[in-house]
Amino acid sequence: MSDENKTVENKEPKNLSRRGFLGASAVSAAGIAGIGISGIMTPAEFAQAAEKARNNAHHNIGPGELDEYYGFWSGGHSGEVRILGIPSMRELMRIPVFNIDSATGWGLTDESKRIKGDSADVLCGDAHHPHMSMKDGRYDGKYVFINDKINTRVARIRCDVMKTDKMLSIPNVQAIHGLRVQKVPHTKYVFCNGEFRIPQPNDGRDLNDPSKYFTMFNVIDAEKMEMAFQVIVDGNLDNTDADYTGRFAASTCYNSEEGVTLAESMRNERDWLVVFDIHAIEKAVKAGKYTTIGDSKVPVVDGRKKANSQYTRYIPVPKSPHGINTSPDGEYFVANGKLSPTVTIIAINKLPALFAGKIKERDTVVGEPELGLGPLHTAFDNRGNAYTTLFIDSQIAKWSVKDAIRAYKGEKVNYIKQKLDVHYQPGHNHTTMGETRDADGKYLISLCKFSKDRFLPTGPLRAENDQLIDISGKEMKLVHDGPTFAEPHDCMIVHRSKVKPKKLWTRDDPIFAATVAQAKKDGVTLESDNKVVRDGKSVRVYMTSIAPNFGMSEFSVKQGDKVTVIVTNLDQVEDVTHGFAVNQHGISMEIGPQQTSSITFDADKPGVFWFYCHWFCHALHMEMRGRMLVKKA
């Protein structure tokens, strides 16, 4: 556990808090009927009730209290990222990423379209794996990265403002799935997998010749959000993770048969964990030992098994492996079997010998415990335990990594410590700080694909289910159910001490730098000017906002003009966000305190159209409005 986490823990009083005391009293009252005629609890009974109350208070975050952790949830096929507080499981914020969001104007504003770049016209996404940047194997609170499987993109969220600030379309591949960051010495790279095999270049040739298909492991420069290099592989890549030395990344890989149908993809008994030697690939790229594909300038190296590549090793594991997770002590990769009841433990310290040709691939395997049906993902605490989701069994299996390794050596030892039912069909799971050196073993989230009978029915489409589990004691305890929508694919959990969001925007923020630059060209001072700049059919309307007024109550344009409205929020009080919406034009955007936002649209019909603030900001919020007068052409 990190020192920061200890500090937060030590602030909790050792004796019962007021909430705990009241809870104990409530438990006492509830138990009186079963205690006897006197209705008085014995000291032992009161102690038991008090302990139960303490446990309840530990998970209950009351009004005015703050959660200990931020949870960043993928929004699945909604295309967004959601922030939850843990342990309350309260949804705090939604960050639009690959979707269109009418509340904030994401995907509508000029700023968001610039960030989305060449995919600005793409209206949907399938967000899977959010992961925070690191320094020395610890979260640094700077960025969260997230992938879009549908449209083969990766986006970056700035954690100081909780807004997407960069987006990159990945060339030469289709369906970015697994994503992780380089942990050590810092997040220089983001690693992500192209899942589906396609012809290269995919320009209409070789449509029905799967022997010409392949996919690639992709490496992104995390700061520039530009491609660094790609590695051709055999098979289809699934999930990925990185080690704590900075040298190795590993990806699960299915379809070693390289088929295009289900039957063709299921013939082999085993598939692979593909290990990438990042340092060797970097050296090759620096030395110019690479090729390019089509119009792309991205360096590509050949990592195929059939090519006897020096950059990769293919470790045989049970068929169709899914999750790959690195233990927080940095010793092991754990590949999850999915179709096998086992997970495979790979010793990372054996990988240098493997790449040097001194041992064989399966010599790196030090354990293969049998856990149950459908192991998908594994998380870790700080006490040597692992927690694996069993999709078919609808359970979490808690097991000892060291005992599983002992059992693999032939010792008779029970490595499974507990199995807990979850509801139902869990996919990803994550422990608090469990993907870092600071794993603290307090909570585990199980992201369940079905809820069935857990909540009120809502028609044929039901909510899915996030479940919070207390893992701080000897046994796992389910403490919370939470419905979620489309879908609970993945999440990551970071202690609140690691994240430092701003309360106000700064006027020089790069997100709206291009808008500021345009204002300077137009001779406009954003903080004070309210004026209309006409440039032929292009019209730029500059206005300020401060509750409860816009800087101008009306502006006039001509039918057929392309209108850009630029609003600068002069309020300096946190929470005083303004909106700008125009009736019958599909125009909506958010302008936070000290932020500048702009939006462009066609004034295609004559008439009077009211604009107004749609974020509640003041007692006279309803009066914060004005007129756009569109003169007939």
Side-chain angles (χ1 to χ4, degrees):
M1 184 185 301
S2 71
D3 291 337
E4 290 166 311
N5 290 353
K6 289 178 181 176
T7 301
V8 172
E9 279 194 332
N10 291 338
K11 290 180 181 178
E12 301 294 334
K14 293 182 179 179
N15 298 321
L16 275 179
S17 64
R18 179 173 180 270
R19 176 175 287 104
F21 178 77
L22 294 174
S25 301
V27 173
S28 303
I32 285 176
I35 294 172
I37 297 175
S38 69
I40 299 173
M41 299 179 97
T42 67
E45 289 168 333
F46 185 83
Q48 185 177 11
E51 177 62 24
K52 183 175 181 179
R54 273 194 295 270
N55 288 337
N56 290 338
H58 177 63
H59 308 304
N60 180 35
I61 305 298
E65 295 182 352
L66 301 180
D67 284 284
E68 188 172 359
Y69 302 92
Y70 288 91
F72 290 86
W73 256 245
S74 68
H77 23 279
S78 72
E80 65 192 10
V81 168
R82 300 164 190 163
I83 305 176
L84 272 66
I86 297 171
S88 74
M89 298 297 287
R90 298 179 294 206
E91 185 178 289
L92 306 178
M93 182 57 63
R94 295 189 173 196
I95 305 171
V97 185
F98 304 114
N99 54 322
I100 298 295
D101 182 63
S102 62
T104 63
W106 181 259
L108 305 174
T109 65
D110 300 334
E111 290 75 25
S112 62
K113 287 181 177 181
R114 281 191 284 265
I115 290 167
K116 293 181 76 175
D118 60 5
S119 63
D121 294 332
V122 179
L123 305 182
C124 66
D126 186 14
H128 275 226
H129 301 112
H131 291 285
M132 181 174 280
S133 52
M134 297 190 192
K135 184 176 181 180
D136 192 29
R138 295 179 166 88
Y139 289 137
D140 63 11
K142 191 173 184 180
Y143 301 124
V144 166
F145 299 90
I146 181 82
N147 66 301
D148 171 19
K149 182 172 177 178
I150 296 178
N151 301 298
T152 317
R153 295 178 290 180
V154 171
R156 186 179 76 185
I157 295 166
R158 270 177 45 195
C159 295
D160 61 339
V161 291
M162 299 301 179
K163 300 286 187 183
T164 306
D165 83 318
K166 295 284 185 180
M167 193 172 295
L168 177 66
S169 297
I170 311 300
N172 304 324
V173 295
Q174 280 185 10
I176 292 297
H177 186 221
L179 177 146
R180 282 297 207 288
V181 301
Q182 190 174 37
K183 298 179 171 77
V184 174
H186 64 280
T187 298
K188 178 181 179 182
Y189 296 132
V190 178
F191 303 122
C192 54
N193 290 334
E195 184 178 351
F196 300 145
R197 300 169 60 251
I198 56 176
Q200 299 290 351
N202 191 22
D203 58 2
R205 70 185 79 175
D206 303 321
L207 296 179
N208 289 305
D209 184 0
S211 67
K212 302 287 181 64
Y213 294 9
F214 60 82
T215 191
M216 291 187 279
F217 177 72
N218 307 281
V219 180
I220 300 168
D221 184 307
E223 286 295 333
K224 296 179 180 179
M225 280 296 285
E226 298 174 356
M227 292 300 304
F229 50 83
Q230 296 175 302
V231 184
I232 304 172
V233 297
D234 294 326
N236 290 48
L237 296 177
D238 196 346
N239 283 283
T240 192
D241 207 347
D243 72 352
Y244 283 88
T245 72
R247 179 178 175 183
F248 298 113
S251 298
T252 48
C253 185
Y254 69 95
N255 189 24
S256 54
E257 305 87 349
E258 300 191 335
V260 295
T261 67
L262 177 62
E264 291 171 352
S265 302
M266 300 303 294
R267 293 170 182 160
N268 293 344
E269 181 180 350
R270 291 181 180 270
D271 283 316
W272 300 302
L273 180 73
V274 185
V275 181
F276 301 87
D277 187 337
I278 302 302
H279 291 172
I281 299 167
E282 285 179 316
K283 290 179 182 177
V285 170
K286 188 175 181 180
K289 297 178 181 179
Y290 63 83
T291 186
T292 59
I293 295 174
D295 295 331
S296 170
K297 304 300 181 185
V298 179
V300 176
V301 301
D302 194 341
R304 287 175 288 189
K305 179 178 174 65
K306 62 174 69 81
N308 296 315
S309 174
Q310 61 181 305
Y311 311 119
T312 57
R313 292 293 182 270
Y314 290 70
I315 300 174
V317 295
K319 186 67 185 168
S320 292
H322 187 54
I324 172 68
N325 305 96
T326 308
S327 60
D329 58 11
E331 294 187 21
Y332 307 109
F333 286 137
V334 175
N336 299 266
K338 189 168 79 171
L339 301 184
S340 167
T342 62
V343 300
T344 304
I345 307 172
I346 291 98
I348 293 173
N349 65 5
K350 291 179 179 286
L351 296 179
L354 174 62
F355 275 86
K358 297 178 180 179
I359 60 174
K360 296 181 179 180
E361 284 84 354
R362 285 288 295 183
D363 292 338
T364 62
V365 176
V366 294
E368 211 150 32
E370 184 174 323
L371 301 177
L373 298 180
L376 292 188
H377 298 278
T378 296
F380 305 90
D381 63 21
N382 56 347
R383 300 179 295 276
N385 298 309
Y387 302 80
T388 299
T389 52
L390 304 177
F391 180 81
I392 297 175
D393 285 341
S394 288
Q395 291 182 320
I396 302 290
K398 176 182 177 180
W399 53 282
S400 165
V401 177
K402 296 298 183 185
D403 287 347
I405 293 171
R406 289 169 57 199
Y408 191 72
K409 294 177 180 178
E411 295 185 42
K412 292 184 178 181
V413 57
N414 182 15
Y415 46 78
I416 296 180
K417 304 304 178 184
Q418 184 192 0
K419 288 188 176 182
L420 180 71
D421 291 340
V422 290
H423 308 281
Y424 300 86
Q425 278 71 57
H428 279 275
N429 65 339
H430 282 275
T431 52
T432 46
M433 303 292 284
E435 293 185 331
T436 74
R437 298 187 195 273
D438 295 328
D440 60 23
K442 288 187 178 181
Y443 293 104
L444 177 141
I445 295 290
S446 176
L447 299 145
C448 302
K449 299 300 183 183
F450 301 97
S451 63
K452 300 185 187 294
D453 53 3
R454 303 299 284 185
F455 312 112
L456 285 172
T458 54
L461 181 61
R462 302 283 183 94
E464 297 168 41
N465 192 11
D466 295 335
Q467 294 190 297
L468 179 68
I469 298 166
D470 183 346
I471 60 171
S472 61
K474 186 175 181 181
E475 293 187 346
M476 296 182 284
K477 295 179 181 178
L478 178 63
V479 295
H480 183 85
D481 275 351
T484 190
F485 173 72
E487 64 162 334
H489 192 93
D490 195 8
C491 71
M492 54 80 52
I493 306 170
V494 56
H495 193 270
R496 69 189 188 195
S497 62
K498 299 287 186 178
V499 183
K500 307 294 184 185
K502 293 180 178 179
K503 294 183 178 181
L504 305 174
W505 288 88
T506 53
R507 297 294 302 128
D508 60 349
D509 195 283
I511 285 180
F512 45 88
T515 305
V516 172
Q518 181 62 54
K520 288 181 179 179
K521 288 182 181 179
D522 288 338
V524 172
T525 301
L526 290 170
E527 292 81 4
S528 59
D529 288 346
N530 292 275
K531 61 191 297 186
V532 176
V533 176
R534 301 183 185 278
D535 183 11
K537 299 292 287 184
S538 295
V539 180
R540 288 181 288 281
V541 180
Y542 291 92
M543 68 175 76
T544 58
S545 65
I546 186 165
N549 290 298
F550 288 111
M552 60 174 66
S553 59
E554 66 179 55
F555 63 88
S556 297
V557 296
K558 297 178 182 178
Q559 183 183 8
D561 282 349
K562 182 173 288 296
V563 180
T564 300
V565 175
I566 304 99
V567 183
T568 298
N569 183 347
L570 299 182
D571 280 294
Q572 299 187 48
V573 179
E574 58 182 292
D575 270 7
V576 183
T577 294
H578 294 304
F580 180 83
V582 181
N583 274 272
Q584 294 175 264
H585 280 74
I587 297 305
S588 173
M589 66 177 177
E590 158 216 1
I591 316 102
Q594 295 295 298
Q595 182 182 7
T596 295
S597 296
S598 65
I599 194 163
T600 300
F601 57 95
D602 292 324
D604 55 0
K605 43 187 175 286
V608 174
F609 301 95
W610 287 91
F611 60 87
Y612 66 99
C613 173
H614 61 16
W615 283 84
F616 192 91
C617 61
H618 191 272
L620 293 176
H621 166 69
M622 296 294 289
E623 286 75 16
M624 191 169 175
R625 57 195 173 92
R627 295 179 299 160
M628 177 175 72
L629 309 176
V630 183
K631 299 177 182 178
K632 196 168 185 176

